[in-house]
Coordinates of all heavy atoms in Angstrom, one line a residue:
M3 N -132.5 37.9 24.5 CA -131.2 38.3 24.1 C -130.3 37.2 24.8 O -130.3 37.0 25.8 CB -130.9 39.7 24.5 CG -129.5 40.1 24.2 SD -129.0 41.8 24.7 CE -130.2 42.8 23.8
S4 N -129.2 36.8 23.9 CA -128.2 35.8 24.5 C -127.1 36.7 25.4 O -127.0 37.9 25.1 CB -127.5 35.2 23.3 OG -126.8 36.0 22.6
I5 N -126.4 35.9 26.1 CA -125.4 36.5 26.9 C -124.3 37.0 25.9 O -123.8 38.2 26.1 CB -124.7 35.5 27.8 CG1 -125.7 35.0 28.9 CG2 -123.4 36.0 28.5 CD1 -125.3 33.9 29.7
E6 N -124.1 36.4 24.9 CA -123.1 36.8 23.8 C -123.5 38.2 23.2 O -122.7 39.2 23.0 CB -122.9 35.8 22.7 CG -122.3 34.5 23.3 CD -123.3 33.6 23.7 OE1 -124.4 33.8 23.8 OE2 -122.7 32.4 24.1
K7 N -124.6 38.3 22.9 CA -125.2 39.5 22.3 C -125.2 40.7 23.3 O -124.8 41.8 23.0 CB -126.7 39.4 21.7 CG -126.7 38.6 20.4 CD -127.8 39.0 19.6 CE -127.8 38.2 18.2 NZ -127.1 38.9 17.2
A8 N -125.5 40.4 24.5 CA -125.5 41.4 25.6 C -124.0 41.8 25.8 O -123.9 43.1 26.0 CB -126.2 40.8 26.9
F9 N -123.1 40.9 25.9 CA -121.8 41.3 26.1 C -121.3 42.2 24.9 O -120.6 43.3 25.1 CB -120.8 40.0 26.1 CG -119.4 40.4 26.2 CD1 -118.8 40.5 27.4 CD2 -118.5 40.5 25.1 CE1 -117.5 40.7 27.7 CE2 -117.2 40.7 25.3 CZ -116.7 40.8 26.6
G10 N -121.7 41.9 23.7 CA -121.4 42.8 22.6 C -122.0 44.2 22.7 O -121.2 45.1 22.4
V11 N -123.3 44.3 23.1 CA -123.8 45.5 23.3 C -123.0 46.4 24.3 O -122.8 47.6 24.1 CB -125.4 45.4 23.6 CG1 -125.9 46.8 24.1 CG2 -126.1 44.8 22.5
V12 N -122.8 45.7 25.4 CA -122.0 46.4 26.5 C -120.7 46.9 26.1 O -120.3 48.1 26.3 CB -122.1 45.5 27.8 CG1 -121.2 46.2 28.9 CG2 -123.5 45.3 28.3
I13 N -119.9 46.1 25.5 CA -118.5 46.5 25.2 C -118.6 47.6 24.0 O -117.7 48.5 24.0 CB -117.5 45.4 24.9 CG1 -118.0 44.5 23.7 CG2 -117.2 44.5 26.1 CD1 -116.8 43.6 23.2
R14 N -119.5 47.4 23.0 CA -119.7 48.4 22.0 C -119.9 49.8 22.6 O -119.4 50.8 22.2 CB -120.7 48.0 21.0 CG -120.8 49.0 19.8 CD -121.9 48.7 18.8 NE -121.7 47.3 18.4 CZ -122.7 46.3 18.6 NH1 -123.8 46.7 19.3 NH2 -122.6 45.2 18.1
N15 N -120.9 49.8 23.5 CA -121.2 51.1 24.2 C -120.1 51.7 24.9 O -119.9 52.9 24.7 CB -122.5 50.8 25.1 CG -123.8 50.5 24.4 OD1 -123.9 50.8 23.2 ND2 -124.7 50.0 25.1
Y16 N -119.4 50.9 25.7 CA -118.2 51.6 26.4 C -117.2 51.9 25.5 O -116.6 53.1 25.6 CB -117.7 50.5 27.4 CG -118.4 50.5 28.7 CD1 -119.2 49.4 29.1 CD2 -118.3 51.7 29.6 CE1 -119.8 49.4 30.2 CE2 -119.0 51.5 30.9 CZ -119.7 50.3 31.1 OH -120.4 50.4 32.3
R17 N -116.9 51.2 24.4 CA -115.9 51.6 23.4 C -116.3 52.9 22.7 O -115.4 53.8 22.4 CB -115.8 50.4 22.3 CG -114.8 50.7 21.3 CD -114.6 49.7 20.3 NE -115.8 49.3 19.6 CZ -116.3 50.1 18.5 NH1 -115.8 51.2 18.1 NH2 -117.5 49.7 17.9
R18 N -117.6 52.9 22.3 CA -118.0 54.2 21.6 C -118.0 55.5 22.6 O -117.6 56.6 22.1 CB -119.4 54.0 21.1 CG -119.4 53.1 19.9 CD -120.8 52.9 19.4 NE -120.7 52.2 18.1 CZ -121.8 51.7 17.5 NH1 -123.0 51.9 18.1 NH2 -121.6 51.1 16.4
E19 N -118.3 55.2 23.9 CA -118.1 56.3 24.8 C -116.7 56.9 24.9 O -116.5 58.1 25.1 CB -118.6 55.9 26.2 CG -120.0 55.8 26.5 CD -120.4 55.4 27.9 OE1 -119.5 55.5 28.8 OE2 -121.5 54.8 28.1
L20 N -115.8 56.0 24.8 CA -114.4 56.4 24.7 C -113.9 56.9 23.4 O -112.8 57.3 23.3 CB -113.5 55.2 25.2 CG -113.7 54.8 26.6 CD1 -112.7 53.6 26.8 CD2 -113.2 55.9 27.6
A21 N -114.8 56.8 22.4 CA -114.5 57.2 21.0 C -113.1 56.5 20.4 O -112.3 57.1 19.9 CB -114.3 58.7 20.9
I22 N -113.2 55.2 20.7 CA -111.9 54.4 20.2 C -112.5 53.4 19.2 O -113.7 53.0 19.3 CB -111.2 53.7 21.2 CG1 -112.0 52.7 22.1 CG2 -110.4 54.6 22.1 CD1 -111.1 51.8 23.1
S23 N -111.8 53.1 18.2 CA -112.1 52.1 17.2 C -112.0 50.7 17.7 O -111.2 50.4 18.6 CB -111.3 52.3 15.9 OG -110.0 51.8 16.3
Q24 N -112.6 49.8 17.0 CA -112.4 48.3 17.3 C -110.9 48.0 17.1 O -110.5 47.2 18.0 CB -113.2 47.5 16.4 CG -114.7 47.4 16.6 CD -115.4 46.5 15.6 OE1 -114.9 46.2 14.6 NE2 -116.7 46.3 15.9
E25 N -110.3 48.5 16.3 CA -108.7 48.2 16.0 C -108.0 48.8 17.2 O -107.2 48.0 17.7 CB -108.4 49.0 14.7 CG -107.0 48.5 14.4 CD -106.6 49.0 12.8 OE1 -107.5 49.4 12.3 OE2 -105.4 48.7 12.6
E26 N -108.3 49.9 17.7 CA -107.6 50.4 18.9 C -107.9 49.6 20.1 O -107.0 49.2 20.8 CB -108.0 51.9 19.2 CG -107.5 52.9 18.2 CD -108.2 54.3 18.4 OE1 -109.4 54.4 18.2 OE2 -107.4 55.2 18.7
L27 N -109.2 49.2 20.3 CA -109.4 48.3 21.5 C -108.6 47.0 21.3 O -108.1 46.6 22.3 CB -110.9 48.0 21.6 CG -111.5 47.1 22.6 CD1 -110.9 47.5 24.0 CD2 -113.0 47.0 22.5
A28 N -108.7 46.4 20.2 CA -108.1 45.2 19.9 C -106.5 45.3 20.2 O -106.0 44.5 20.9 CB -108.3 44.7 18.5
L29 N -105.9 46.3 19.7 CA -104.5 46.4 19.8 C -104.0 46.5 21.2 O -103.2 45.9 21.7 CB -104.0 47.7 19.0 CG -102.5 48.1 19.0 CD1 -101.8 46.9 18.3 CD2 -102.2 49.3 18.3
E30 N -104.7 47.4 22.0 CA -104.6 47.6 23.4 C -104.7 46.3 24.2 O -104.1 46.2 25.3 CB -105.3 48.8 23.9 CG -104.8 50.2 23.4 CD -103.4 50.6 23.8 OE1 -103.0 50.4 24.9 OE2 -102.6 51.0 23.0
A31 N -105.7 45.6 23.8 CA -106.1 44.4 24.7 C -105.3 43.2 24.2 O -105.5 42.1 24.8 CB -107.6 44.1 24.5
G32 N -104.5 43.3 23.2 CA -103.8 42.2 22.6 C -104.6 41.1 21.9 O -104.4 39.9 21.9
L33 N -105.7 41.7 21.2 CA -106.6 40.8 20.6 C -106.6 41.3 19.0 O -106.1 42.3 18.7 CB -108.0 40.9 21.2 CG -108.1 40.5 22.6 CD1 -109.5 41.1 23.2 CD2 -108.0 39.1 22.8
D34 N -107.5 40.4 18.3 CA -107.5 40.8 16.8 C -108.7 41.7 16.7 O -109.8 41.4 17.2 CB -107.6 39.5 16.0 CG -107.4 39.8 14.5 OD1 -106.4 39.8 14.0 OD2 -108.6 39.8 13.9
R35 N -108.6 42.5 15.6 CA -109.8 43.4 15.4 C -110.9 42.7 15.0 O -112.1 43.0 15.4 CB -109.5 44.5 14.4 CG -110.6 45.5 14.3 CD -111.0 46.0 13.0 NE -111.1 45.1 11.9 CZ -112.2 44.5 11.6 NH1 -113.3 44.6 12.1 NH2 -112.2 43.7 10.5
T36 N -110.8 41.7 14.2 CA -112.0 40.8 13.7 C -112.7 40.1 14.9 O -113.8 40.0 15.0 CB -111.6 39.8 12.6 OG1 -110.6 38.9 13.2 CG2 -111.1 40.5 11.4
Y37 N -111.9 39.7 16.0 CA -112.4 39.1 17.1 C -113.3 40.1 17.9 O -114.3 39.7 18.3 CB -111.3 38.6 18.0 CG -111.8 37.9 19.2 CD1 -112.5 36.7 19.1 CD2 -111.5 38.3 20.6 CE1 -113.0 36.0 20.2 CE2 -111.8 37.5 21.7 CZ -112.6 36.4 21.4 OH -113.1 35.7 22.6
I38 N -112.8 41.3 18.0 CA -113.6 42.4 18.6 C -114.9 42.6 17.8 O -116.0 42.6 18.5 CB -112.9 43.7 18.7 CG1 -111.6 43.5 19.5 CG2 -113.8 44.8 19.3 CD1 -111.9 43.3 21.1
S39 N -114.9 42.5 16.6 CA -116.1 42.7 15.7 C -117.0 41.6 16.0 O -118.2 41.7 16.2 CB -115.7 42.8 14.3 OG -116.9 42.7 13.4
L40 N -116.5 40.3 16.0 CA -117.3 39.2 16.3 C -118.0 39.2 17.7 O -119.1 38.8 17.9 CB -116.5 37.9 16.2 CG -116.1 37.5 14.8 CD1 -115.0 36.5 14.6 CD2 -117.2 37.1 13.9
L41 N -117.1 39.7 18.7 CA -117.8 39.8 20.0 C -118.8 40.8 20.0 O -119.9 40.5 20.6 CB -116.6 40.2 21.0 CG -115.6 39.2 21.4 CD1 -114.4 39.9 22.2 CD2 -116.2 38.1 22.3
E42 N -118.6 42.0 19.4 CA -119.7 43.0 19.5 C -121.0 42.6 18.7 O -122.0 43.1 19.0 CB -119.1 44.3 18.8 CG -118.1 45.0 19.7 CD -117.7 46.4 19.3 OE1 -118.2 46.9 18.2 OE2 -116.9 47.0 20.0
R43 N -120.8 41.7 17.8 CA -122.0 41.1 17.1 C -122.7 39.9 17.7 O -123.6 39.3 17.2 CB -121.7 40.8 15.6 CG -121.4 42.3 14.9 CD -121.1 41.9 13.4 NE -119.8 41.3 13.2 CZ -119.5 40.3 12.3 NH1 -120.5 39.8 11.6 NH2 -118.2 39.8 12.3
G44 N -122.1 39.5 19.0 CA -122.4 38.3 19.6 C -122.3 37.1 19.0 O -123.0 36.0 19.2
K45 N -121.1 36.9 18.2 CA -120.9 35.8 17.4 C -119.8 34.9 18.1 O -119.5 33.8 17.6 CB -120.4 36.1 16.0 CG -121.3 36.9 15.2 CD -122.5 36.1 14.8 CE -123.5 36.9 13.8 NZ -124.7 36.2 13.6
R46 N -119.2 35.4 19.0 CA -118.2 34.6 19.8 C -118.4 34.7 21.4 O -119.0 35.7 21.8 CB -116.8 35.2 19.6 CG -116.2 34.9 18.2 CD -116.0 33.4 18.0 NE -115.5 33.1 16.7 CZ -116.2 32.7 15.6 NH1 -117.6 32.7 15.7 NH2 -115.7 32.5 14.4
R47 N -118.0 33.7 22.1 CA -118.2 33.8 23.5 C -116.8 34.2 24.1 O -115.8 33.6 23.9 CB -118.5 32.4 24.1 CG -119.8 31.8 23.7 CD -120.1 30.5 24.4 NE -121.6 30.2 24.1 CZ -121.9 29.0 24.1 NH1 -121.1 28.0 24.5 NH2 -123.2 28.7 23.9
P48 N -116.8 35.2 24.9 CA -115.5 35.7 25.4 C -115.0 34.8 26.6 O -115.9 34.3 27.3 CB -115.8 37.2 26.0 CG -117.3 37.0 26.2 CD -117.9 36.1 25.3
T49 N -113.8 34.7 26.7 CA -113.2 34.0 27.9 C -113.0 35.0 29.0 O -113.1 36.1 28.8 CB -111.7 33.4 27.4 OG1 -110.8 34.5 27.2 CG2 -111.9 32.5 26.2
I50 N -112.7 34.5 30.1 CA -112.4 35.4 31.3 C -111.2 36.3 31.1 O -111.2 37.4 31.4 CB -112.3 34.5 32.6 CG1 -112.3 35.5 33.8 CG2 -111.0 33.7 32.6 CD1 -113.7 35.7 34.3
N51 N -110.2 35.7 30.3 CA -109.0 36.5 30.0 C -109.5 37.6 29.1 O -108.9 38.7 29.2 CB -108.0 35.6 29.3 CG -107.4 34.6 30.2 OD1 -107.4 34.7 31.4 ND2 -106.8 33.6 29.6
T52 N -110.3 37.4 28.1 CA -110.8 38.4 27.2 C -111.5 39.5 27.9 O -111.3 40.7 27.7 CB -111.7 37.7 26.1 OG1 -110.9 36.8 25.4 CG2 -112.2 38.9 25.2
L53 N -112.4 39.1 28.9 CA -113.2 39.9 29.6 C -112.2 41.0 30.5 O -112.4 42.2 30.4 CB -114.1 39.3 30.7 CG -114.7 40.1 31.8 CD1 -115.7 41.1 31.1 CD2 -115.5 39.2 32.7
F54 N -111.1 40.3 31.0 CA -110.2 41.1 31.8 C -109.5 42.2 30.9 O -109.2 43.3 31.2 CB -109.3 40.3 32.7 CG -110.0 40.0 34.0 CD1 -111.0 39.0 34.1 CD2 -109.5 40.5 35.2 CE1 -111.6 38.7 35.3 CE2 -110.1 40.3 36.3 CZ -111.0 39.3 36.4
A55 N -108.9 41.6 29.7 CA -108.2 42.4 28.8 C -109.0 43.7 28.4 O -108.5 44.7 28.2 CB -107.7 41.6 27.7
I56 N -110.2 43.3 28.0 CA -111.0 44.4 27.4 C -111.5 45.5 28.5 O -111.4 46.7 28.2 CB -112.3 43.9 26.7 CG1 -112.0 43.1 25.4 CG2 -113.4 44.9 26.5 CD1 -113.0 42.3 24.8
S57 N -111.8 45.0 29.7 CA -112.1 45.9 30.7 C -111.0 46.8 31.1 O -111.2 48.0 31.4 CB -112.7 45.1 31.9 OG -111.7 44.4 32.5
K58 N -109.8 46.2 31.0 CA -108.6 47.2 31.4 C -108.4 48.2 30.4 O -108.3 49.3 30.7 CB -107.3 46.2 31.3 CG -106.1 46.9 31.8 CD -104.9 46.1 31.9 CE -103.6 46.9 32.2 NZ -102.5 45.9 32.4
V59 N -108.6 47.9 29.1 CA -108.4 48.9 28.1 C -109.6 50.0 28.1 O -109.4 51.2 28.1 CB -108.5 48.4 26.6 CG1 -108.5 49.4 25.5 CG2 -107.4 47.3 26.5
L60 N -110.9 49.5 28.6 CA -111.9 50.4 28.7 C -111.9 51.2 29.9 O -112.7 52.2 30.2 CB -113.2 49.6 28.6 CG -113.5 48.9 27.3 CD1 -114.7 48.1 27.3 CD2 -113.6 49.9 26.0
G61 N -111.0 50.7 30.9 CA -110.9 51.5 32.1 C -112.0 51.3 33.2 O -112.3 52.1 33.9
I62 N -112.5 50.1 33.0 CA -113.6 49.7 34.0 C -113.3 48.4 34.6 O -112.5 47.5 34.0 CB -115.0 49.6 33.2 CG1 -114.9 48.7 32.1 CG2 -115.6 51.1 32.9 CD1 -116.3 48.5 31.3
N63 N -114.0 48.0 35.6 CA -113.8 46.7 36.3 C -114.5 45.7 35.6 O -115.6 45.9 35.0 CB -114.3 46.7 37.8 CG -113.4 47.6 38.6 OD1 -112.2 47.5 38.6 ND2 -114.1 48.5 39.4
P64 N -114.1 44.4 35.5 CA -114.7 43.4 34.8 C -116.2 43.2 35.2 O -117.2 42.9 34.6 CB -113.9 42.2 35.0 CG -112.6 42.6 35.2 CD -112.7 44.0 35.9
H65 N -116.4 43.4 36.6 CA -117.7 43.1 37.2 C -118.7 44.2 36.8 O -119.9 43.9 36.7 CB -117.7 43.1 38.8 CG -117.4 44.4 39.4 ND1 -116.2 44.9 39.8 CD2 -118.3 45.4 39.9 CE1 -116.4 46.0 40.3 NE2 -117.6 46.3 40.4
T66 N -118.3 45.3 36.3 CA -119.1 46.4 35.8 C -119.6 45.9 34.5 O -120.8 46.1 34.2 CB -118.3 47.7 35.6 OG1 -117.8 48.1 36.8 CG2 -119.2 48.8 35.0
I67 N -118.8 45.2 33.6 CA -119.4 44.7 32.4 C -120.3 43.6 32.6 O -121.5 43.6 32.1 CB -118.2 44.1 31.6 CG1 -117.3 45.3 31.0 CG2 -118.8 43.3 30.3 CD1 -116.1 44.8 30.3
I68 N -120.1 42.7 33.5 CA -121.1 41.7 33.9 C -122.3 42.2 34.5 O -123.4 41.7 34.2 CB -120.4 40.7 34.9 CG1 -119.2 40.0 34.1 CG2 -121.4 39.7 35.5 CD1 -118.3 39.1 35.1
L69 N -122.3 43.2 35.2 CA -123.5 43.9 35.7 C -124.3 44.5 34.8 O -125.5 44.4 34.8 CB -123.2 44.9 36.8 CG -122.7 44.4 38.3 CD1 -122.2 45.4 39.1 CD2 -123.7 43.6 38.9
N70 N -123.7 45.1 33.8 CA -124.3 45.6 32.6 C -125.1 44.6 31.8 O -126.1 44.7 31.3 CB -123.5 46.5 31.8 CG -123.3 47.9 32.4 OD1 -124.1 48.8 32.2 ND2 -122.2 48.0 33.2
I71 N -124.4 43.4 31.6 CA -124.9 42.3 30.9 C -126.1 41.9 31.5 O -127.1 41.6 31.0 CB -123.8 41.3 30.7 CG1 -122.8 41.6 29.8 CG2 -124.6 39.9 30.1 CD1 -121.5 40.8 29.7
E72 N -126.0 41.7 32.9 CA -127.2 41.1 33.8 C -128.4 42.1 33.6 O -129.5 41.7 33.5 CB -126.7 41.0 35.1 CG -127.8 40.4 36.1 CD -127.2 40.2 37.5 OE1 -126.2 40.9 37.9 OE2 -127.9 39.6 38.2
T73 N -128.1 43.4 33.6 CA -129.1 44.4 33.5 C -129.9 44.2 32.1 O -131.1 44.2 32.1 CB -128.6 45.8 33.6 OG1 -128.1 45.9 35.0 CG2 -129.7 46.8 33.5
L74 N -129.1 44.1 31.1 CA -129.7 44.0 29.7 C -130.6 42.6 29.7 O -131.7 42.7 29.2 CB -128.6 43.8 28.7 CG -128.1 45.1 28.1 CD1 -126.9 44.8 27.1 CD2 -129.2 45.9 27.5
L75 N -130.0 41.5 30.1 CA -130.7 40.3 30.2 C -132.0 40.4 31.1 O -133.0 39.7 30.6 CB -129.7 39.2 30.7 CG -128.6 38.7 29.7 CD1 -127.7 37.8 30.4 CD2 -129.1 38.4 28.3
C76 N -132.0 41.0 32.2 CA -133.1 41.0 33.0 C -134.2 41.9 32.4 O -135.4 41.6 32.5 CB -132.7 41.5 34.4 SG -131.8 40.3 35.4
S77 N -133.8 43.0 31.8 CA -134.8 43.9 31.2 C -135.4 43.2 30.0 O -136.5 43.5 29.6 CB -134.2 45.2 30.8 OG -133.2 45.1 29.8
D78 N -134.6 42.4 29.3 CA -135.2 41.6 28.3 C -136.2 40.7 28.6 O -137.1 40.3 27.8 CB -133.9 40.9 27.5 CG -134.3 40.6 26.1 OD1 -134.9 41.3 25.3 OD2 -133.9 39.4 25.7
N79 N -136.2 40.2 29.8 CA -137.1 39.1 30.2 C -138.4 39.8 30.7 O -139.3 39.1 31.2 CB -136.5 38.1 31.4 CG -135.5 37.3 30.7 OD1 -135.5 36.9 29.6 ND2 -134.4 37.0 31.5
I80 N -138.4 41.0 30.9 CA -139.6 41.7 31.5 C -140.7 41.9 30.5 O -140.5 42.2 29.3 CB -139.3 43.2 32.1 CG1 -138.3 42.9 33.3 CG2 -140.4 43.9 32.5 CD1 -137.8 44.1 33.9

């Protein structure tokens, strides 16, 4: 699994836990809904600014997202 796909899986899971739409996440993070969709599908590489904006809306620390990505990537290599 690529880092981009892992990022998408992680933010999709957190977004769904909060029961918010891609549009709501995008609006609150100051991003475009289509960009959120592309991120969730692993089609774009997020910037550090994007990571911080999304994590703020999701109510988690950016390092939590990174740790979850690392966990996915490590479990994928087993």
Side-chain angles (χ1 to χ4, degrees):
M3 177 181 298
S4 69
I5 293 171
E6 293 85 358
K7 286 209 180 271
F9 181 84
V11 168
V12 170
I13 64 167
R14 182 183 309 115
N15 289 342
Y16 277 110
R17 179 180 61 76
R18 287 179 175 170
E19 281 180 23
L20 293 175
I22 62 173
S23 67
Q24 288 180 345
E25 190 168 355
E26 290 171 300
L27 175 57
L29 182 64
E30 292 294 318
L33 302 167
D34 190 82
R35 192 221 38 95
T36 57
Y37 183 60
I38 297 296
S39 174
L40 290 168
L41 286 172
E42 288 189 0
R43 291 183 287 136
K45 303 292 184 185
R46 292 290 182 269
R47 291 182 177 164
T49 65
I50 192 87
N51 292 339
T52 301
L53 172 64
F54 274 76
I56 289 173
S57 66
K58 183 176 180 182
V59 176
L60 296 176
I62 55 176
N63 292 311
H65 74 270
T66 302
I67 292 175
I68 293 170
L69 287 171
N70 280 276
I71 292 167
E72 184 178 15
T73 300
L74 276 178
L75 293 175
C76 289
S77 67
D78 198 41
N79 290 329
I80 296 175

